[in-house]
Amino acid sequence: MSETDFYQLEETVVVPFSDDTCRRAIHNLRWRLAEMLAGGPEAVVVDLRGLTRFSSTTVAALLWAKRRCGTRGVPLRLRNADQALADQLRRAGLDTIWDIQTTPTREVS
């Protein structure tokens, strides 16, 4: 499995997104979401570790996936967003649509 594939983690399906893998991850969401949902996961988690910006294509794909997941009663969650990306989503009002979890920041001693 390459880093661009989705994978199961306990009762959750994880779809990794990064700047390098975004196009492939969008493709996986678009064309393989039914496969991801087939096992009745507790949630679909989009892991944003390594993604530094959102394009309109990325937002559209995630909104589409959220609607599809919602029809199956499966939440779509965004995890490991860096603070700048999370702030960008909040400024756009998208934090009211998705459950966004940021990457914990390290404290400097």
Side-chain angles (χ1 to χ4, degrees):
M1 172 172 53
S2 72
E3 67 180 291
T4 59
D5 290 332
F6 65 91
Y7 58 92
Q8 188 91 21
L9 184 64
E10 297 176 10
E11 298 298 316
T12 303
V13 172
V14 179
V15 184
F17 268 65
S18 71
D19 289 342
D20 294 334
T21 65
C22 192
R23 289 182 65 194
R24 179 73 181 157
I26 289 170
H27 178 270
N28 281 334
L29 274 180
R30 196 81 170 138
W31 300 108
R32 298 180 70 192
L33 188 60
E35 181 183 341
M36 292 178 205
L37 296 172
E42 178 181 291
V44 172
V45 172
V46 176
D47 185 346
L48 300 174
R49 188 181 333 265
L51 188 69
T52 59
R53 64 194 171 289
F54 261 73
S55 69
S56 58
T57 302
T58 303
V59 171
L62 290 173
L63 288 170
W64 177 87
K66 179 175 176 48
R67 282 190 303 274
R68 299 290 291 194
C69 288
T71 62
R72 300 281 294 272
V74 177
L76 180 90
R77 299 182 176 130
L78 305 183
R79 296 288 183 256
N80 298 317
D82 69 21
Q83 194 59 53
L85 186 59
D87 290 344
Q88 179 185 5
L89 293 169
R90 285 186 187 96
R91 282 191 302 276
L94 296 172
D95 60 326
T96 61
I97 296 170
W98 291 302
D99 171 17
I100 303 167
Q101 179 186 24
T102 58
T103 304
T105 57
R106 293 184 184 166
E107 292 186 25
V108 179
S109 328

